[in-house]
Amino acid sequence: MATRAPSIGLRAACFALVAFFGLAACSDEGEPMETVSYVDLERFSGDWYVVAGIVTSMEEKAYNPVETYEVAGPGKIATTFTFNKGSFDGKQKIFKPKGFIRNSETNAEWGMQFIPPFKLDYRIIYLNDKYETTVIGRNKRDLVWIMARTPSIDAAEYADIVSMLDQVGYDTSKIRQMPHEATSQG
């Protein structure tokens, strides 16, 4: 039985993902960034709206971005990242990277794998007591995601987070708000 070669578009998309995530994963150097002291993975599980951040090129045209986490066994996190491409009613994109706990004492240092064998540095550097707002950063300080259980967060908390990010070495002028449609939440 003959097998069909992947289409040019599929091959190009795969190459772009490998190139971006492969290069990003290979260059996780940087001054180690302090994480939160402990993450209860069951409480952390669920939907997180990406409110703002310094994002990947894949996310630059993301509308309604939501990251969902679920414990998938010892040291593993099933992840689903969804967004509408280009507009609120744009085509929905779904990615399912695999999360791996790198520090089981804190559960705050992960490797996020979009394409094997590369694992992006993924650190939970802020998490409020109610598990309503979190910040995911990287030692390289090139990417950061401010996320919440609702599509927006309190202005004072947002300002505090941006100030914290400045203090740990991020160029906060690169942080941008992510567009979310108004919902009945919040």
Side-chain angles (χ1 to χ4, degrees):
M1 178 184 278
T3 58
R4 253 181 79 177
S7 71
I8 298 294
L10 178 60
R11 281 187 276 175
C14 288
F15 177 76
L17 283 172
V18 167
F20 174 77
F21 287 110
L23 292 174
C26 291
S27 57
D28 283 343
E29 73 275 346
E31 183 75 26
M33 190 179 328
E34 189 173 329
T35 65
V36 298
S37 60
Y38 182 75
V39 177
D40 178 332
L41 294 175
E42 292 298 328
R43 287 184 70 195
F44 196 79
S45 293
D47 292 345
W48 289 95
Y49 293 85
V50 181
V51 174
I54 302 171
V55 298
T56 67
S57 58
M58 172 183 72
E59 299 166 276
E60 287 178 359
K61 294 181 181 177
Y63 285 70
N64 297 322
V66 176
E67 187 103 335
T68 304
Y69 304 112
E70 181 182 337
V71 177
K76 296 180 182 176
I77 305 295
T79 306
T80 303
F81 178 56
T82 61
F83 62 90
N84 297 90
K85 185 176 181 181
S87 68
F88 289 119
D89 54 357
K91 182 177 180 181
Q92 186 179 54
K93 296 291 188 176
I94 301 172
F95 294 91
K96 294 189 176 265
K98 295 177 182 176
F100 299 90
I101 305 299
R102 288 182 169 167
N103 181 336
S104 60
E105 289 182 28
T106 67
N107 294 328
E109 294 176 38
W110 299 7
M112 191 61 70
Q113 186 176 59
F114 282 81
I115 298 172
F118 306 108
K119 293 178 184 168
L120 291 172
D121 176 43
Y122 196 88
R123 297 169 173 271
I124 302 169
I125 60 173
Y126 173 83
L127 179 62
N128 72 359
D129 292 338
K130 294 180 181 180
Y131 282 64
E132 294 174 344
T133 310
T134 191
V135 176
I136 309 301
R138 289 174 24 97
N139 279 338
K140 193 175 175 191
R141 291 156 177 83
D142 56 343
L143 303 171
V144 67
W145 299 270
I146 300 169
M147 299 189 291
R149 299 294 188 173
T150 60
S152 63
I153 60 175
D154 175 76
E157 184 177 22
Y158 181 80
D160 289 345
I161 288 170
V162 171
S163 177
M164 179 266 302
L165 290 172
D166 182 60
Q167 292 173 13
V168 299
Y170 274 96
D171 178 353
T172 58
S173 70
K174 294 181 179 180
I175 295 173
R176 71 178 197 85
Q177 299 280 326
M178 302 300 288
H180 286 276
E181 283 184 296
T183 68
S184 59
Q185 286 188 297

